[in-house]
Amino acid sequence: MTMSSDNKTALRIALVAVLTAVVVVFTSIVRVPTPVVKGYISLCDVVICFSAYLFGPWAAAISGGLGTAFADLLGGYAVWAPFSLVIHGLQGLLMGLIAYPRKKIKTEVLSEASLMRMLIAGLAGIVVMVGGYYLVGGVFYGFEPALVEIPLNLIQSSVGVILGIVVSKTVSKAYPPVRSLMW
């Protein structure tokens, strides 16, 4: 039995809403303040990477950008919200596009992203996230002080990539139909 286009669209919207909420939770529960640029590191990249690897570029871009921006607003980091929206949104979009090339997205039955594609996508996502926050921190606080944040952001992104791969591979194997919700 195939799902109608309307049902699939509704499920995808619900999926992105749930993923956005999970990003907010993962961003808010473990929040380690950073010393120089008055930001923080969190586990948000785990969900962003998971979303990109399992559900594709649009689910990761929307949930990653909105989820981190909402978490910034709710957590007292409102000045960072617009930048988190853009940086994590681009991170998720780029990772999803690399993990699933356009020709693969258009196929009806999607296979899993290869581990090599996931790793390359992860590296691209790390560059976007670390570079984006370095640039914003540099504008706000100076580029030399913002260098202190790079190792912390590298840790956050690397943990996100590794756990994102593990979780997405596990979920994909445990419940293969979930791949049909790619967006």
Side-chain angles (χ1 to χ4, degrees):
M1 182 170 131
T2 60
M3 193 178 316
S4 76
S5 178
D6 288 344
N7 286 345
K8 193 173 252 188
T9 300
L11 279 173
R12 287 177 176 157
I13 291 169
L15 172 71
V16 170
V18 169
L19 288 171
T20 300
V22 174
V23 170
V24 172
V25 170
F26 272 60
T27 306
S28 302
I29 287 185
V30 176
R31 182 177 289 167
V32 179
T34 57
V36 177
V37 299
K38 298 177 179 75
Y40 59 90
I41 62 171
S42 70
L43 293 175
C44 67
D45 288 342
V46 174
V47 185
I48 296 167
C49 294
F50 164 78
S51 300
Y53 296 149
L54 197 57
F55 300 113
W58 297 110
I62 295 167
S63 64
L66 287 177
T68 55
F70 287 150
D72 284 347
L73 290 171
L74 295 170
Y77 294 87
V79 70
W80 289 98
F83 304 107
S84 293
L85 175 72
V86 172
I87 292 167
H88 287 292
L90 285 174
Q91 175 190 23
L93 180 67
L94 182 61
M95 289 178 70
L97 289 172
I98 293 170
Y100 290 98
R102 189 159 179 79
K103 64 181 180 178
K104 197 171 191 178
I105 290 175
K106 292 195 175 242
T107 62
E108 185 60 36
V109 178
L110 295 165
S111 61
E112 290 183 70
S114 72
L115 180 59
M116 183 56 69
R117 281 198 173 280
M118 291 173 139
L119 290 171
I120 293 168
L123 288 174
I126 289 171
V127 168
V128 168
M129 192 280 247
V130 173
Y133 279 109
Y134 170 70
L135 289 174
V136 174
V139 170
F140 283 171
Y141 300 101
F143 289 97
E144 190 172 328
L147 288 172
V148 173
E149 304 297 318
I150 289 176
L152 299 171
N153 284 331
L154 282 170
I155 292 168
Q156 173 179 316
S157 280
S158 299
V159 167
V161 168
I162 293 165
L163 292 178
I165 288 172
V166 170
V167 174
S168 65
K169 290 282 190 186
T170 303
V171 169
S172 181
K173 282 184 183 23
Y175 189 67
V178 78
R179 289 191 304 260
S180 70
L181 295 176
M182 178 177 280
W183 189 26

